[in-house]
Amino acid sequence: MTRLLLVEDDAALVRTLSISLEARGFEVEATGQGNRATALARAHPPEVAIIDLGLPDTDGINVVRALRTWSDLPILILSAREAQEEKVAALDAGADDYVTKPFGMDELLARLRAALRRTTPEPAPAVVRAGQLTIDVATRRVERAGGTVHLTPTEWNLLEVLVRATGALVTHRDLLQAVWGPQYADETNYLRVYMAQLRRKLEEHPSAPRHLITEPGVGYRFEP
Ligand code: CA
């Protein structure tokens, strides 16, 4: 059982999530009060947390901040579609990823698995297969539909960071720092240019990508 702290004030959603999560091996402790959440987490440290941003007594971002002062656990936030700035603020405060309401259970579980992989990493697979793509991380070779794709070193570095985090959100800042270096953390235009190049080389329909997914205003993720 994986201990999960659920901080959400919508009682119907808590019921639905608890049933689904418990059926998949999570032990769920739920509260609708942000201020209660930190005390609960201290009493029974969870292995992963799901935190709604809109809580009655405090902002979910404050709960993220409070947990991050003493815990490195994976944190997933739930947010409304229009709350773009809130999402960015929550990620800056230390959340790992977000799910936008309304969401499907499959999406939530995929994000949870990706977030949990960060703290309990499995050995990265040497070869990643995604649709028509075969990406050999060890030898830095990419094939699409059986044909070799030539990537520049920068394109490869960008792809590698995303593939190593398959399914997980990688923020603009983290990508820029990993590929270009700390002094480039704000150069999001680099990402737009190189992501467009990668999509032209790797995606069947570059304007409707299946694998190299944009999270608007936040970052990118690689979906297998
Ligand atoms: Ca709420």
Side-chain angles (χ1 to χ4, degrees):
M1 298 286 266
T2 306
R3 285 187 315 281
L4 182 148
L5 175 65
L6 174 59
V7 189
E8 167 60 74
D9 58 309
D10 177 341
L13 183 56
V14 169
R15 254 194 319 278
T16 312
L17 285 179
S18 298
I19 290 167
S20 298
L21 290 166
E22 280 167 4
R24 288 166 174 88
F26 290 92
E27 182 189 334
V28 179
E29 189 158 31
T31 176
Q33 302 282 320
N35 292 324
R36 173 132 179 72
T38 32
L40 272 179
R42 287 236 185 233
H44 298 108
E47 290 159 270
V48 60
I50 299 177
I51 301 171
D52 181 33
L53 286 183
L55 297 168
D57 62 329
T58 182
D59 200 308
I61 292 170
N62 292 329
V63 182
V64 175
R65 281 201 193 99
L67 290 177
R68 272 291 173 260
T69 59
W70 59 274
S71 175
D72 185 41
L73 87 170
I75 299 175
L76 210 61
I77 51 170
L78 306 179
S79 79
R81 189 163 298 283
E82 63 278 13
Q84 199 59 28
E85 283 173 21
E86 273 186 9
K87 280 180 208 166
V88 175
L91 293 166
D92 284 344
D96 290 276
D97 207 340
Y98 62 86
V99 180
T100 305
K101 293 179 177 179
F103 53 84
M105 205 55 210
D106 287 348
E107 185 188 0
L108 180 78
L109 289 167
R111 298 281 178 275
L112 267 182
R113 278 194 298 270
L116 281 162
R117 267 203 305 273
R118 178 178 66 74
T119 44
T120 49
E122 302 151 19
V127 178
V128 174
R129 290 195 173 78
Q132 297 188 323
L133 298 175
T134 305
I135 301 162
D136 189 325
V137 179
T139 62
R140 302 191 140 213
R141 291 160 81 95
V142 181
E143 287 186 2
R144 187 177 141 209
T148 300
V149 179
H150 295 283
L151 298 183
T152 67
T154 302
E155 289 168 353
W156 171 261
N157 291 341
L158 188 56
L159 180 65
E160 184 180 10
V161 174
L162 289 165
V163 165
R164 284 189 185 279
T166 291
L169 171 71
V170 186
T171 62
H172 292 149
R173 176 168 292 267
D174 286 348
L175 269 177
L176 286 161
Q177 290 188 340
V179 178
W180 281 274
Q183 65 273 40
Y184 295 92
D186 297 318
E187 306 284 346
T188 48
N189 56 315
Y190 286 23
L191 291 175
R192 274 192 294 278
V193 170
Y194 279 88
M195 203 58 73
Q197 290 173 197
L198 269 182
R199 283 177 176 146
R200 277 197 297 275
K201 292 184 178 184
L202 302 181
E203 295 278 0
E204 199 174 352
H205 304 290
S207 56
R210 272 186 55 197
H211 307 297
L212 296 163
I213 307 299
T214 298
E215 296 290 352
V218 177
Y220 297 89
R221 75 174 85 233
F222 183 84
E223 294 285 6

